[in-house]
Amino acid sequence: DGITSKLDYLQSLGVTTIYLSPIFESASNHRYDTGDYSRVDPMLGDEAAFSRLCAEAQRLGMRVMLDGVFNHTGFDSVYFNGRGTYDSVGAYQSQASQYYPWYSFSHWPDQYSSWWGIYTLPQTNEDDPGYTGYIISDEDSIIKKWLRLGASAWRLDVADELPDWFLEKIRAAIIIAVKRDFGGKENIVVAHL
């Protein structure tokens, strides 16, 4: 809501795009250790506030870009749940977890691939169909959900560390969402990856 209240001022400066660093629920203030991709961090607001921001920005000729951190999640996330913060069963808690295939363990539960060796950032397994579906291709995927709520673009964190095919699937999902959900209008920014 704070950004929404300043949109007229931002427009007067000539701003056309508002890039938001990660907005998703997280245990940290930087939020690059995503806790739940499907929720706005309560410190920032909620889905309704996000949709208001996007609608008002679009009315003023501005776009809102989200930061997608899909190379890794947080140790303290609904998916990994290393601290048991969430009610769900995460990959750290059980090999039977639906999220277990999203990660690569060399010795479960305490040895796993992590981003640049930082244990609080368990690296995701983009080759897992469940992960790819959740992020990109399911009807209610993360990419599609936030586009429907008003996002105009995605910036991908450490995109150079994501497989090319994964990037192409994101691009294709965005194009399909534009055609289906937005009637083909130039509402979404799609950059060639």
Side-chain angles (χ1 to χ4, degrees):
D1 287 330
I3 299 170
T4 303
S5 71
K6 299 291 185 185
L7 285 176
D8 288 331
Y9 170 69
L10 293 171
Q11 184 190 42
S12 76
L13 297 175
V15 171
T16 59
T17 303
I18 299 168
Y19 159 61
L20 302 176
S21 60
I23 66 167
F24 308 116
E25 182 177 272
S26 172
S28 71
N29 63 351
H30 58 74
R31 289 179 287 286
Y32 282 92
D33 56 345
T34 305
D36 189 341
Y37 293 111
S38 69
R39 295 185 46 170
V40 173
D41 193 298
M43 185 172 103
L44 302 176
D46 58 21
E47 284 183 18
F50 176 76
S51 288
R52 281 191 303 275
L53 167 63
C54 293
E56 186 62 16
Q58 186 174 354
R59 185 184 72 74
L60 296 171
M62 292 183 263
R63 314 256 180 184
V64 175
M65 181 186 314
L66 289 177
D67 199 341
V69 185
F70 303 133
N71 171 272
H72 54 272
T73 65
F75 180 81
D76 191 16
S77 68
V78 68
Y79 320 105
F80 202 77
N81 211 3
R83 293 191 178 96
T85 301
Y86 293 88
D87 290 337
S88 66
V89 176
Y92 187 82
Q93 297 162 310
S94 174
Q95 292 174 320
S97 168
Q98 69 181 22
Y99 305 116
Y100 179 79
W102 290 18
Y103 303 95
S104 298
F105 290 89
S106 57
H107 182 271
W108 180 84
D110 56 348
Q111 294 176 11
Y112 46 88
S113 296
S114 60
W115 186 71
W116 287 27
I118 302 168
Y119 88 94
T120 57
L121 301 174
Q123 195 164 343
T124 54
N125 175 11
E126 292 84 18
D127 289 322
D128 178 66
Y131 182 72
T132 303
Y134 179 77
I135 297 297
I136 306 169
S137 54
D138 292 352
E139 267 312 299
D140 58 347
S141 72
I142 295 306
I143 292 289
K144 295 172 188 174
K145 171 185 175 152
W146 294 102
L147 292 173
R148 287 184 187 123
L149 287 170
S152 294
W154 282 94
R155 177 257 182 200
L156 302 178
D157 187 53
V158 295
D160 62 317
E161 296 179 23
L162 291 167
D164 288 344
W165 65 263
F166 191 82
L167 299 173
E168 285 300 324
K169 280 183 87 83
I170 289 174
R171 183 176 187 273
I174 292 170
I175 291 169
I176 289 168
V178 169
K179 290 180 179 175
R180 186 191 63 222
D181 298 334
F182 301 99
K185 296 177 185 168
E186 291 299 320
N187 187 43
I188 308 267
V189 178
V190 181
H192 180 67
L193 301 171

